[in-house]
Amino acid sequence: MVTLEHYLVLSALLFSLGIVGVMFRRNLIVILMSLELMLNAVNLSFVAFSRYLGSIEGQIFVLFVMVVAAAEVAVGLAIAVAVFRQRGTININDISLLKW
Amino acid sequence: METILFYVLAAVTLLSAVCVVFLRRPLHNVLFMILTMIGLATLFILLHAEFLAMVQIIVYAGAVMVLFLFVIMLLNLEEISLPKEPRPLRWGFGVILALALVVVLFPIFSHFAPSITGKSIPGAVGNVSNIELIGTELFTTYLLPFEVASILLLAAIIGTVIIGRKLKG
């Protein structure tokens, strides 16, 4: 018997993995990928809640999350390409102009 | 049967997510990310969200990950030196922080989960298909957000083209 908690625990673990990737990798592309991982973890808990509460709203919200994620990835990768052209690197420690 | 399937899929998804975060070469990360997406799509099928599973495979495994692969090939990361990864001490610190987050998340879940988990899973709503239900809701109740989403995508397209354009001179 798979309960809601199973899905929530899996979602929490995926989200934490995404956070590790965002905080402790230095490759811009891998950081964007970890962001995707976090968004997907949230999507999983949305769908699980939608199933166990018997309402469709969760799945519709997942669709909007996917739209935002696609837009974010496209713009983020364009920025990565532009930064690479300008500085010749995508190591985030070398791109620290806006860092305090 | 469903339980075994869930555990196998969850293991595959989690293992490939670990590979996404911890492998060093971006190309391997992308390939394992595709595996993670497919694992999540099968979990969606297990949750009777067939439409979202298909969208997940088409949009994420199909479009987004190909975009990542394309950029990695474009930047030709094999020739330039890969960024040095943090020292083990920093990795340990990161893993401990993430585990702390998990520990914080669990009480929140267990606080409101029992009121739902006790019940049996509700069956499919009527004899309407999943796609029909989503379509009806999307084009009646959520029509405005739907249109706003299309404007957001248009803005993203224009922004991407302008940012990615080669500067003259």
Side-chain angles (χ1 to χ4, degrees):
Chain A
M1 178 71 185
V2 186
T3 61
L4 177 63
E5 271 159 336
H6 285 77
Y7 287 101
L8 290 184
V9 166
L10 178 62
S11 165
L13 289 176
L14 281 176
F15 193 86
S16 307
L17 271 172
I19 282 191
V20 172
V22 168
M23 288 198 297
F24 296 96
R25 291 298 301 255
R26 296 181 186 174
N27 189 330
L28 191 52
I29 292 179
V30 178
I31 288 176
L32 278 173
M33 244 185 283
S34 305
L35 275 178
E36 288 300 303
L37 200 61
M38 286 158 75
L39 285 169
N40 272 292
V42 174
N43 281 355
L44 181 64
S45 55
F46 264 128
V47 176
F49 270 119
S50 156
R51 168 81 174 140
Y52 282 88
L53 291 174
S55 100
I56 200 78
E57 270 82 14
Q59 298 191 20
I60 286 167
F61 209 88
V62 168
L63 273 181
F64 291 125
V65 171
M66 279 179 180
V67 168
V68 173
E72 171 245 322
V73 160
V75 175
L77 284 177
I79 290 174
V81 171
V83 164
F84 184 76
R85 277 204 197 119
Q86 194 79 21
R87 311 290 292 268
T89 177
I90 51 165
N91 185 340
I92 56 160
N93 283 2
D94 298 338
I95 315 165
S96 53
L97 201 62
L98 288 177
K99 203 170 164 187
W100 47 275
Chain B
M1 182 61 200
E2 198 194 337
T3 316
I4 300 167
L5 212 56
F6 172 80
Y7 279 116
V8 170
L9 289 174
V12 168
T13 311
L14 268 182
L15 278 180
S16 42
V18 167
C19 290
V20 168
V21 173
F22 290 100
L23 284 188
R24 201 156 166 277
R25 289 188 173 273
L27 198 66
H28 297 174
N29 294 5
V30 171
L31 293 178
F32 275 107
M33 194 71 188
I34 293 175
L35 198 59
T36 311
M37 296 301 170
I38 293 172
L40 279 171
T42 42
L43 280 172
F44 285 176
I45 291 178
L46 213 59
L47 283 167
H48 289 259
E50 296 89 2
F51 177 67
L52 280 181
M54 290 303 125
V55 170
Q56 174 93 1
I57 286 182
I58 293 169
V59 172
Y60 271 119
V64 171
M65 288 303 130
V66 168
L67 199 63
F68 271 109
L69 272 183
F70 187 71
V71 167
I72 286 171
M73 301 290 180
L74 196 71
L75 298 187
N76 205 357
L77 287 179
E78 303 300 323
E79 281 187 13
I80 65 166
S81 60
L82 284 166
K84 252 193 225 144
E85 291 304 333
R87 292 182 296 274
L89 185 69
R90 236 180 114 175
W91 273 114
F93 188 58
V95 172
I96 288 169
L97 268 186
L99 284 179
L101 178 75
V102 172
V103 170
V104 170
L105 282 177
F106 271 67
I108 300 174
F109 285 158
S110 54
H111 175 68
F112 63 80
S115 57
I116 309 167
T117 42
K119 289 183 205 164
S120 60
I121 314 165
V125 189
N127 51 4
V128 208
S129 75
N130 183 243
I131 298 174
E132 201 178 328
L133 216 56
I134 289 181
T136 315
E137 280 289 306
L138 206 57
F139 285 102
T140 53
T141 320
Y142 297 96
L143 187 60
L144 182 66
F146 183 72
E147 299 295 341
V148 171
S150 69
I151 292 174
L152 175 71
L153 280 180
L154 180 67
I157 294 171
I158 295 171
T160 308
V161 169
I162 288 177
I163 292 173
R165 188 179 54 170
K166 215 169 212 155
L167 294 173
K168 291 188 189 79

